[in-house]
Amino acid sequence: MTDRPPGTNLDLHPDDETLSAFVDGEVRSPEIVGHIDACPVCQRRLRQFRAVASAVGRPVDVDPERRNATVELAVRELRPLGRPSRRVAVLQWSTAIAAAIALVVLLGPLLRSTGGDSDDSSAGDSAATGAESDATATEEEAADLSAGPAAGDVISFGVLSGPDDLVASARTALARQPARSTSAPAEQQTLAAVSCGDQVDARLGRPTMLLVGRATLDGQPVEVFVYVEDDGAEVHVLAVDASCREVVDQGFGR
Amino acid sequence: VTPAAPDSDGDGELARRAAAGDRAAVESLLRRHHDRIWGLCRKLTGNAADADDATQEALIAIVRGLPRFDGRAAFGTWAYRVATNACLDELRRRRRRPFTSIDGMHDPVRPGDVAEQATAAVDVDAALSSLPLDQRAPIVLRDLCGLDYAEIGEVLSIPPGTVRSRIARGRSALAARLDPSPPPVDGNHGPLRPRPTPSS
């Protein structure tokens, strides 16, 4: 037994609540500290509590892949400030393609107006875009789209190196779309194309997303999407790998 | 016991950037806290599958709630509150999965050195799962997440004094399950017994 500090009362033990709080550094009373220093019974109780606390506090092993997947999925919920989060409806392929046709018609002139590497030879009258609403593309319009990468077609971008290369290629290809006065129906603008499966595209959660092509980016196959930010300020090119993991998400101003 | 990452480690600045929509800051914050949140969920829900679900829900809720995070509490405290609520939701959904009771184990813990036994994570997890949630939660928040009593009170919306008593009751129960030998007796002392708490 240790020497007893003056005034230590070894006949009265601190209760478990006090000893437990002492373990946590929440008790600093000199009387209690003096008693514990001199009392083997309390010291044993403290050892028990400390052993329990140590065992409960032992870090758990986490699967790194699980951690990555969980974090990446959560980050995709990030939204521009001030904008409500919108769950993206998941479409079947056929419906997604139908939406894609209308969205490419919208995005074509939009992308061309950014001043990127556009090919004006196939450009139409962009001033008409949005001014005259026509919810359904006619067969003639659909035929005209074949002049560039056909709306709804999946473009093969080939072998690319780095996000900038991908974005430039996507902008170039999309800018070849002729301008149309056709507007997508409002409901279609909230839908996403489906490529990686329901669970992934629902997680991607972009407000307006369109599958536009495939590429080999830095040695791995990717699928390329475009979407417009909620506030309309930027168009984004997004690429996901074979595991449906996002590898590029790069925007450019309108 | 591993302390939580405090704001002095950069949480505060990261949280401010994250709340402003900085994607890299959001990801960095989530990665910093993921393992502790998963551990919290693992110990509160009692199994890995529920912990996975609760952790995912917690991280999504954190991202969605970031614009409302005002920085008055430490980011970790706020995040653990979100995670604890996600666990409670998960437990409500999964009541069909009963906790393993240590009393029903075929290979009960034998008396002996409590420190050695306490290092057996499986036994500890089983013992933890046998505790009422109102004791389990503050113990895990204290011992795994490193929160102090005031912070735990914030997370669980209970007074610090209640935190203190619940942790003590839970630890006493855990110690009894992990080391069921009789309390020590010496020439000067009787067995440990409750008595009025001295002022601290």
Side-chain angles (χ1 to χ4, degrees):
Chain A
M1 181 175 296
T2 58
D3 292 335
R4 300 177 186 178
T8 298
N9 185 349
L10 291 184
D11 294 328
L12 296 175
H13 298 287
D15 62 9
D16 276 355
E17 185 174 321
T18 302
L19 293 175
S20 172
F22 181 83
V23 167
D24 294 329
E26 302 267 352
V27 171
R28 293 181 179 84
S29 160
E31 180 188 1
I32 302 298
V33 173
H35 176 97
I36 291 171
D37 281 346
C39 177
V41 175
C42 289
Q43 288 169 11
R44 170 167 181 183
R45 193 60 166 165
L46 283 178
R47 282 196 298 274
Q48 289 180 322
F49 283 162
R50 285 180 174 135
V52 168
S54 176
V56 173
R58 183 171 298 109
V60 293
D61 292 330
V62 177
D63 177 4
E65 289 188 5
R66 182 78 195 180
R67 180 197 301 121
N68 289 339
T70 303
V71 169
E72 287 171 11
L73 186 57
V75 170
R76 284 174 176 164
E77 292 291 323
L78 190 61
R79 293 281 169 186
L81 283 177
R83 304 294 295 184
S85 176
R86 283 191 287 176
R87 280 288 187 186
V88 177
V90 177
L91 299 177
Q92 296 301 316
W93 256 110
S94 57
T95 311
I97 290 297
I101 292 173
L103 290 172
V104 165
V105 170
L106 273 185
L107 286 168
L110 173 67
L111 294 167
R112 196 166 41 254
S113 70
T114 63
D117 302 328
S118 63
D119 179 354
D120 290 338
S121 64
S122 61
D125 181 7
S126 61
T129 302
E132 302 171 14
S133 178
D134 180 0
T136 305
T138 64
E139 290 184 5
E140 285 184 357
E141 288 168 341
D144 286 343
L145 293 175
S146 64
D153 279 357
V154 176
I155 303 166
S156 176
F157 291 105
V159 179
L160 303 173
S161 178
D164 291 340
D165 196 9
L166 172 66
V167 171
S169 297
R171 292 178 67 177
T172 300
L174 290 169
R176 291 198 177 100
Q177 294 296 324
R180 287 291 158 199
S181 60
T182 302
S183 298
E187 64 273 19
Q188 291 182 341
Q189 296 183 42
T190 65
L191 301 175
V194 176
S195 176
C196 293
D198 293 356
Q199 77 286 359
V200 173
D201 284 285
R203 290 185 325 210
L204 288 174
R206 305 300 178 193
T208 306
M209 183 145 55
L210 168 67
L211 173 69
V212 293
R214 295 191 174 87
T216 300
L217 180 65
D218 297 326
Q220 65 174 336
V222 296
E223 289 185 329
V224 183
F225 297 80
V226 294
Y227 69 93
V228 182
E229 286 282 14
D230 275 353
D231 58 8
E234 280 194 332
V235 177
H236 278 238
V237 174
L238 180 144
V240 297
D241 65 14
S243 301
C244 293
R245 290 187 177 180
E246 190 177 307
V247 293
V248 173
D249 183 5
Q250 187 162 315
F252 50 90
R254 297 177 60 172
Chain B
V1 177
T2 308
D7 278 350
S8 59
D9 288 345
D11 271 3
E13 175 58 25
L14 276 176
R16 278 187 289 276
R17 287 167 45 200
D22 183 330
R23 187 186 185 90
V26 172
E27 183 166 347
S28 180
L29 265 180
L30 296 185
R31 288 191 183 283
R32 293 181 90 176
H33 289 271
H34 172 277
D35 289 6
R36 260 182 236 275
I37 287 174
W38 193 87
L40 171 66
C41 293
R42 171 68 181 81
K43 290 177 187 296
L44 289 187
T45 63
N47 67 82
D50 286 351
D52 285 343
D53 291 346
T55 300
Q56 187 69 77
E57 290 302 316
L59 264 57
I60 288 173
I62 287 169
V63 172
R64 289 178 178 169
L66 272 170
R68 297 188 300 276
F69 175 64
D70 57 14
R72 280 183 295 182
F75 175 80
T77 304
W78 178 74
Y80 297 140
R81 178 172 194 157
V82 173
T84 300
N85 287 333
C87 292
L88 297 179
D89 290 342
E90 190 64 29
L91 287 171
R92 277 191 282 269
R93 284 193 294 266
R94 306 287 177 89
R95 285 194 190 282
R96 66 179 182 276
R97 296 183 183 175
F99 292 127
T100 302
S101 168
I102 199 168
D103 295 331
M105 292 175 67
H106 295 298
D107 184 17
V109 177
R110 294 184 297 274
D113 179 72
V114 70
E116 181 180 336
Q117 292 186 17
T119 60
V122 173
D123 291 345
V124 172
D125 286 348
L128 256 181
S129 293
S130 72
L131 292 180
L133 189 58
D134 67 354
Q135 294 175 14
R136 196 183 334 150
I139 284 178
V140 175
L141 287 167
R142 169 62 213 161
D143 294 336
L144 183 72
C145 301
L147 302 190
D148 63 29
Y149 287 5
E151 291 169 328
I152 295 169
E154 287 180 31
V155 170
L156 301 176
S157 300
I158 55 178
T162 304
V163 172
R164 170 176 160 142
S165 62
R166 288 181 181 178
I167 287 177
R169 287 204 304 275
R171 279 191 183 142
S172 298
L174 289 175
R177 292 174 186 279
L178 295 168
D179 183 13
S181 57
V185 177
D186 69 13
N188 296 323
H189 299 77
L192 284 173
R193 58 190 183 278
R195 56 179 288 272
T197 304
S199 59
S200 57

mmCIF file with all atom_site columns, all heavy atoms in Angstrom, chain B residues 83-98:
data_model
loop_
_atom_site.group_PDB
_atom_site.id
_atom_site.type_symbol
_atom_site.label_atom_id
_atom_site.label_alt_id
_atom_site.label_comp_id
_atom_site.label_asym_id
_atom_site.label_entity_id
_atom_site.label_seq_id
_atom_site.pdbx_PDB_ins_code
_atom_site.Cartn_x
_atom_site.Cartn_y
_atom_site.Cartn_z
_atom_site.occupancy
_atom_site.B_iso_or_equiv
_atom_site.pdbx_formal_charge
_atom_site.auth_seq_id
_atom_site.auth_comp_id
_atom_site.auth_asym_id
_atom_site.auth_atom_id
_atom_site.pdbx_PDB_model_num
ATOM 1   N N   . ALA B 1 83 ? -24.171 10.351  -36.982 1.00 0.00 ? 83 ALA B N   1
ATOM 2   C CA  . ALA B 1 83 ? -23.953 8.905   -37.087 1.00 0.00 ? 83 ALA B CA  1
ATOM 3   C C   . ALA B 1 83 ? -24.751 8.151   -36.036 1.00 0.00 ? 83 ALA B C   1
ATOM 4   O O   . ALA B 1 83 ? -25.318 7.081   -36.318 1.00 0.00 ? 83 ALA B O   1
ATOM 5   C CB  . ALA B 1 83 ? -22.466 8.602   -36.944 1.00 0.00 ? 83 ALA B CB  1
ATOM 6   N N   . THR B 1 84 ? -24.801 8.690   -34.830 1.00 0.00 ? 84 THR B N   1
ATOM 7   C CA  . THR B 1 84 ? -25.573 8.023   -33.777 1.00 0.00 ? 84 THR B CA  1
ATOM 8   C C   . THR B 1 84 ? -27.047 7.954   -34.159 1.00 0.00 ? 84 THR B C   1
ATOM 9   O O   . THR B 1 84 ? -27.706 6.920   -33.979 1.00 0.00 ? 84 THR B O   1
ATOM 10  C CB  . THR B 1 84 ? -25.401 8.776   -32.440 1.00 0.00 ? 84 THR B CB  1
ATOM 11  O OG1 . THR B 1 84 ? -24.011 8.786   -32.087 1.00 0.00 ? 84 THR B OG1 1
ATOM 12  C CG2 . THR B 1 84 ? -26.195 8.105   -31.330 1.00 0.00 ? 84 THR B CG2 1
ATOM 13  N N   . ASN B 1 85 ? -27.551 9.042   -34.704 1.00 0.00 ? 85 ASN B N   1
ATOM 14  C CA  . ASN B 1 85 ? -28.949 9.027   -35.136 1.00 0.00 ? 85 ASN B CA  1
ATOM 15  C C   . ASN B 1 85 ? -29.170 8.028   -36.269 1.00 0.00 ? 85 ASN B C   1
ATOM 16  O O   . ASN B 1 85 ? -30.211 7.354   -36.318 1.00 0.00 ? 85 ASN B O   1
ATOM 17  C CB  . ASN B 1 85 ? -29.378 10.429  -35.581 1.00 0.00 ? 85 ASN B CB  1
ATOM 18  C CG  . ASN B 1 85 ? -29.542 11.372  -34.403 1.00 0.00 ? 85 ASN B CG  1
ATOM 19  O OD1 . ASN B 1 85 ? -29.821 10.935  -33.291 1.00 0.00 ? 85 ASN B OD1 1
ATOM 20  N ND2 . ASN B 1 85 ? -29.355 12.656  -34.631 1.00 0.00 ? 85 ASN B ND2 1
ATOM 21  N N   . ALA B 1 86 ? -28.184 7.918   -37.156 1.00 0.00 ? 86 ALA B N   1
ATOM 22  C CA  . ALA B 1 86 ? -28.301 6.934   -38.240 1.00 0.00 ? 86 ALA B CA  1
ATOM 23  C C   . ALA B 1 86 ? -28.332 5.520   -37.665 1.00 0.00 ? 86 ALA B C   1
ATOM 24  O O   . ALA B 1 86 ? -29.073 4.654   -38.144 1.00 0.00 ? 86 ALA B O   1
ATOM 25  C CB  . ALA B 1 86 ? -27.146 7.091   -39.219 1.00 0.00 ? 86 ALA B CB  1
ATOM 26  N N   . CYS B 1 87 ? -27.544 5.292   -36.637 1.00 0.00 ? 87 CYS B N   1
ATOM 27  C CA  . CYS B 1 87 ? -27.542 3.971   -36.002 1.00 0.00 ? 87 CYS B CA  1
ATOM 28  C C   . CYS B 1 87 ? -28.878 3.679   -35.321 1.00 0.00 ? 87 CYS B C   1
ATOM 29  O O   . CYS B 1 87 ? -29.397 2.559   -35.409 1.00 0.00 ? 87 CYS B O   1
ATOM 30  C CB  . CYS B 1 87 ? -26.415 3.879   -34.969 1.00 0.00 ? 87 CYS B CB  1
ATOM 31  S SG  . CYS B 1 87 ? -24.770 3.885   -35.690 1.00 0.00 ? 87 CYS B SG  1
ATOM 32  N N   . LEU B 1 88 ? -29.404 4.680   -34.655 1.00 0.00 ? 88 LEU B N   1
ATOM 33  C CA  . LEU B 1 88 ? -30.692 4.470   -33.990 1.00 0.00 ? 88 LEU B CA  1
ATOM 34  C C   . LEU B 1 88 ? -31.770 4.159   -35.027 1.00 0.00 ? 88 LEU B C   1
ATOM 35  O O   . LEU B 1 88 ? -32.621 3.294   -34.816 1.00 0.00 ? 88 LEU B O   1
ATOM 36  C CB  . LEU B 1 88 ? -31.072 5.716   -33.177 1.00 0.00 ? 88 LEU B CB  1
ATOM 37  C CG  . LEU B 1 88 ? -30.127 6.062   -32.027 1.00 0.00 ? 88 LEU B CG  1
ATOM 38  C CD1 . LEU B 1 88 ? -30.589 7.329   -31.306 1.00 0.00 ? 88 LEU B CD1 1
ATOM 39  C CD2 . LEU B 1 88 ? -30.011 4.910   -31.041 1.00 0.00 ? 88 LEU B CD2 1
ATOM 40  N N   . ASP B 1 89 ? -31.714 4.871   -36.146 1.00 0.00 ? 89 ASP B N   1
ATOM 41  C CA  . ASP B 1 89 ? -32.663 4.585   -37.224 1.00 0.00 ? 89 ASP B CA  1
ATOM 42  C C   . ASP B 1 89 ? -32.479 3.161   -37.734 1.00 0.00 ? 89 ASP B C   1
ATOM 43  O O   . ASP B 1 89 ? -33.453 2.441   -37.993 1.00 0.00 ? 89 ASP B O   1
ATOM 44  C CB  . ASP B 1 89 ? -32.485 5.577   -38.379 1.00 0.00 ? 89 ASP B CB  1
ATOM 45  C CG  . ASP B 1 89 ? -32.944 6.972   -38.016 1.00 0.00 ? 89 ASP B CG  1
ATOM 46  O OD1 . ASP B 1 89 ? -33.695 7.109   -37.034 1.00 0.00 ? 89 ASP B OD1 1
ATOM 47  O OD2 . ASP B 1 89 ? -32.548 7.923   -38.718 1.00 0.00 ? 89 ASP B OD2 1
ATOM 48  N N   . GLU B 1 90 ? -31.208 2.777   -37.894 1.00 0.00 ? 90 GLU B N   1
ATOM 49  C CA  . GLU B 1 90 ? -30.929 1.436   -38.400 1.00 0.00 ? 90 GLU B CA  1
ATOM 50  C C   . GLU B 1 90 ? -31.431 0.380   -37.427 1.00 0.00 ? 90 GLU B C   1
ATOM 51  O O   . GLU B 1 90 ? -32.015 -0.633  -37.832 1.00 0.00 ? 90 GLU B O   1
ATOM 52  C CB  . GLU B 1 90 ? -29.422 1.271   -38.620 1.00 0.00 ? 90 GLU B CB  1
ATOM 53  C CG  . GLU B 1 90 ? -29.027 0.010   -39.359 1.00 0.00 ? 90 GLU B CG  1
ATOM 54  C CD  . GLU B 1 90 ? -29.561 -0.013  -40.781 1.00 0.00 ? 90 GLU B CD  1
ATOM 55  O OE1 . GLU B 1 90 ? -29.749 1.063   -41.382 1.00 0.00 ? 90 GLU B OE1 1
ATOM 56  O OE2 . GLU B 1 90 ? -29.811 -1.128  -41.282 1.00 0.00 ? 90 GLU B OE2 1
ATOM 57  N N   . LEU B 1 91 ? -31.229 0.621   -36.155 1.00 0.00 ? 91 LEU B N   1
ATOM 58  C CA  . LEU B 1 91 ? -31.687 -0.344  -35.147 1.00 0.00 ? 91 LEU B CA  1
ATOM 59  C C   . LEU B 1 91 ? -33.205 -0.453  -35.139 1.00 0.00 ? 91 LEU B C   1
ATOM 60  O O   . LEU B 1 91 ? -33.756 -1.536  -34.950 1.00 0.00 ? 91 LEU B O   1
ATOM 61  C CB  . LEU B 1 91 ? -31.172 0.066   -33.763 1.00 0.00 ? 91 LEU B CB  1
ATOM 62  C CG  . LEU B 1 91 ? -29.677 -0.152  -33.535 1.00 0.00 ? 91 LEU B CG  1
ATOM 63  C CD1 . LEU B 1 91 ? -29.226 0.488   -32.220 1.00 0.00 ? 91 LEU B CD1 1
ATOM 64  C CD2 . LEU B 1 91 ? -29.350 -1.637  -33.531 1.00 0.00 ? 91 LEU B CD2 1
ATOM 65  N N   . ARG B 1 92 ? -33.848 0.679   -35.363 1.00 0.00 ? 92 ARG B N   1
ATOM 66  C CA  . ARG B 1 92 ? -35.310 0.634   -35.409 1.00 0.00 ? 92 ARG B CA  1
ATOM 67  C C   . ARG B 1 92 ? -35.780 -0.193  -36.602 1.00 0.00 ? 92 ARG B C   1
ATOM 68  O O   . ARG B 1 92 ? -36.772 -0.909  -36.523 1.00 0.00 ? 92 ARG B O   1
ATOM 69  C CB  . ARG B 1 92 ? -35.884 2.055   -35.487 1.00 0.00 ? 92 ARG B CB  1
ATOM 70  C CG  . ARG B 1 92 ? -35.993 2.743   -34.139 1.00 0.00 ? 92 ARG B CG  1
ATOM 71  C CD  . ARG B 1 92 ? -36.807 4.034   -34.233 1.00 0.00 ? 92 ARG B CD  1
ATOM 72  N NE  . ARG B 1 92 ? -36.026 5.115   -34.809 1.00 0.00 ? 92 ARG B NE  1
ATOM 73  C CZ  . ARG B 1 92 ? -35.299 5.960   -34.092 1.00 0.00 ? 92 ARG B CZ  1
ATOM 74  N NH1 . ARG B 1 92 ? -35.278 5.863   -32.785 1.00 0.00 ? 92 ARG B NH1 1
ATOM 75  N NH2 . ARG B 1 92 ? -34.613 6.922   -34.671 1.00 0.00 ? 92 ARG B NH2 1
ATOM 76  N N   . ARG B 1 93 ? -35.031 -0.070  -37.712 1.00 0.00 ? 93 ARG B N   1
ATOM 77  C CA  . ARG B 1 93 ? -35.417 -0.827  -38.904 1.00 0.00 ? 93 ARG B CA  1
ATOM 78  C C   . ARG B 1 93 ? -35.101 -2.304  -38.776 1.00 0.00 ? 93 ARG B C   1
ATOM 79  O O   . ARG B 1 93 ? -35.731 -3.144  -39.391 1.00 0.00 ? 93 ARG B O   1
ATOM 80  C CB  . ARG B 1 93 ? -34.696 -0.258  -40.127 1.00 0.00 ? 93 ARG B CB  1
ATOM 81  C CG  . ARG B 1 93 ? -35.263 1.041   -40.641 1.00 0.00 ? 93 ARG B CG  1
ATOM 82  C CD  . ARG B 1 93 ? -34.713 1.350   -42.021 1.00 0.00 ? 93 ARG B CD  1
ATOM 83  N NE  . ARG B 1 93 ? -33.291 1.620   -42.005 1.00 0.00 ? 93 ARG B NE  1
ATOM 84  C CZ  . ARG B 1 93 ? -32.759 2.837   -41.913 1.00 0.00 ? 93 ARG B CZ  1
ATOM 85  N NH1 . ARG B 1 93 ? -33.525 3.882   -41.811 1.00 0.00 ? 93 ARG B NH1 1
ATOM 86  N NH2 . ARG B 1 93 ? -31.454 2.996   -41.917 1.00 0.00 ? 93 ARG B NH2 1
ATOM 87  N N   . ARG B 1 94 ? -34.111 -2.623  -38.003 1.00 0.00 ? 94 ARG B N   1
ATOM 88  C CA  . ARG B 1 94 ? -33.600 -4.003  -37.967 1.00 0.00 ? 94 ARG B CA  1
ATOM 89  C C   . ARG B 1 94 ? -33.858 -4.689  -36.635 1.00 0.00 ? 94 ARG B C   1
ATOM 90  O O   . ARG B 1 94 ? -33.035 -5.452  -36.157 1.00 0.00 ? 94 ARG B O   1
ATOM 91  C CB  . ARG B 1 94 ? -32.098 -4.003  -38.255 1.00 0.00 ? 94 ARG B CB  1
ATOM 92  C CG  . ARG B 1 94 ? -31.708 -3.305  -39.535 1.00 0.00 ? 94 ARG B CG  1
ATOM 93  C CD  . ARG B 1 94 ? -32.089 -4.145  -40.747 1.00 0.00 ? 94 ARG B CD  1
ATOM 94  N NE  . ARG B 1 94 ? -31.792 -3.452  -41.991 1.00 0.00 ? 94 ARG B NE  1
ATOM 95  C CZ  . ARG B 1 94 ? -30.636 -3.519  -42.629 1.00 0.00 ? 94 ARG B CZ  1
ATOM 96  N NH1 . ARG B 1 94 ? -29.678 -4.255  -42.141 1.00 0.00 ? 94 ARG B NH1 1
ATOM 97  N NH2 . ARG B 1 94 ? -30.452 -2.857  -43.746 1.00 0.00 ? 94 ARG B NH2 1
ATOM 98  N N   . ARG B 1 95 ? -34.964 -4.414  -36.045 1.00 0.00 ? 95 ARG B N   1
ATOM 99  C CA  . ARG B 1 95 ? -35.218 -5.009  -34.745 1.00 0.00 ? 95 ARG B CA  1
ATOM 100 C C   . ARG B 1 95 ? -35.323 -6.525  -34.814 1.00 0.00 ? 95 ARG B C   1
ATOM 101 O O   . ARG B 1 95 ? -35.240 -7.214  -33.800 1.00 0.00 ? 95 ARG B O   1
ATOM 102 C CB  . ARG B 1 95 ? -36.505 -4.442  -34.135 1.00 0.00 ? 95 ARG B CB  1
ATOM 103 C CG  . ARG B 1 95 ? -36.338 -3.042  -33.615 1.00 0.00 ? 95 ARG B CG  1
ATOM 104 C CD  . ARG B 1 95 ? -37.502 -2.639  -32.735 1.00 0.00 ? 95 ARG B CD  1
ATOM 105 N NE  . ARG B 1 95 ? -37.468 -1.217  -32.414 1.00 0.00 ? 95 ARG B NE  1
ATOM 106 C CZ  . ARG B 1 95 ? -36.679 -0.675  -31.515 1.00 0.00 ? 95 ARG B CZ  1
ATOM 107 N NH1 . ARG B 1 95 ? -35.844 -1.446  -30.840 1.00 0.00 ? 95 ARG B NH1 1
ATOM 108 N NH2 . ARG B 1 95 ? -36.707 0.605   -31.278 1.00 0.00 ? 95 ARG B NH2 1
ATOM 109 N N   . ARG B 1 96 ? -35.483 -7.025  -36.019 1.00 0.00 ? 96 ARG B N   1
ATOM 110 C CA  . ARG B 1 96 ? -35.579 -8.480  -36.155 1.00 0.00 ? 96 ARG B CA  1
ATOM 111 C C   . ARG B 1 96 ? -34.251 -9.164  -35.823 1.00 0.00 ? 96 ARG B C   1
ATOM 112 O O   . ARG B 1 96 ? -34.202 -10.358 -35.661 1.00 0.00 ? 96 ARG B O   1
ATOM 113 C CB  . ARG B 1 96 ? -35.988 -8.848  -37.568 1.00 0.00 ? 96 ARG B CB  1
ATOM 114 C CG  . ARG B 1 96 ? -34.964 -8.501  -38.618 1.00 0.00 ? 96 ARG B CG  1
ATOM 115 C CD  . ARG B 1 96 ? -35.468 -8.926  -39.982 1.00 0.00 ? 96 ARG B CD  1
ATOM 116 N NE  . ARG B 1 96 ? -34.500 -8.652  -41.014 1.00 0.00 ? 96 ARG B NE  1
ATOM 117 C CZ  . ARG B 1 96 ? -34.358 -7.477  -41.627 1.00 0.00 ? 96 ARG B CZ  1
ATOM 118 N NH1 . ARG B 1 96 ? -35.145 -6.474  -41.256 1.00 0.00 ? 96 ARG B NH1 1
ATOM 119 N NH2 . ARG B 1 96 ? -33.464 -7.298  -42.561 1.00 0.00 ? 96 ARG B NH2 1
ATOM 120 N N   . ARG B 1 97 ? -33.185 -8.404  -35.752 1.00 0.00 ? 97 ARG B N   1
ATOM 121 C CA  . ARG B 1 97 ? -31.889 -8.988  -35.424 1.00 0.00 ? 97 ARG B CA  1
ATOM 122 C C   . ARG B 1 97 ? -31.599 -8.758  -33.948 1.00 0.00 ? 97 ARG B C   1
ATOM 123 O O   . ARG B 1 97 ? -31.169 -7.684  -33.562 1.00 0.00 ? 97 ARG B O   1
ATOM 124 C CB  . ARG B 1 97 ? -30.772 -8.352  -36.241 1.00 0.00 ? 97 ARG B CB  1
ATOM 125 C CG  . ARG B 1 97 ? -30.882 -8.598  -37.714 1.00 0.00 ? 97 ARG B CG  1
ATOM 126 C CD  . ARG B 1 97 ? -29.695 -7.976  -38.400 1.00 0.00 ? 97 ARG B CD  1
ATOM 127 N NE  . ARG B 1 97 ? -29.797 -8.119  -39.833 1.00 0.00 ? 97 ARG B NE  1
ATOM 128 C CZ  . ARG B 1 97 ? -28.936 -7.571  -40.673 1.00 0.00 ? 97 ARG B CZ  1
ATOM 129 N NH1 . ARG B 1 97 ? -27.938 -6.875  -40.206 1.00 0.00 ? 97 ARG B NH1 1
ATOM 130 N NH2 . ARG B 1 97 ? -29.063 -7.736  -41.961 1.00 0.00 ? 97 ARG B NH2 1
ATOM 131 N N   . PRO B 1 98 ? -31.835 -9.760  -33.118 1.00 0.00 ? 98 PRO B N   1
ATOM 132 C CA  . PRO B 1 98 ? -31.591 -9.567  -31.691 1.00 0.00 ? 98 PRO B CA  1
ATOM 133 C C   . PRO B 1 98 ? -30.102 -9.492  -31.395 1.00 0.00 ? 98 PRO B C   1
ATOM 134 O O   . PRO B 1 98 ? -29.289 -10.089 -32.095 1.00 0.00 ? 98 PRO B O   1
ATOM 135 C CB  . PRO B 1 98 ? -32.211 -10.808 -31.053 1.00 0.00 ? 98 PRO B CB  1
ATOM 136 C CG  . PRO B 1 98 ? -32.131 -11.833 -32.124 1.00 0.00 ? 98 PRO B CG  1
ATOM 137 C CD  . PRO B 1 98 ? -32.297 -11.109 -33.423 1.00 0.00 ? 98 PRO B CD  1
#
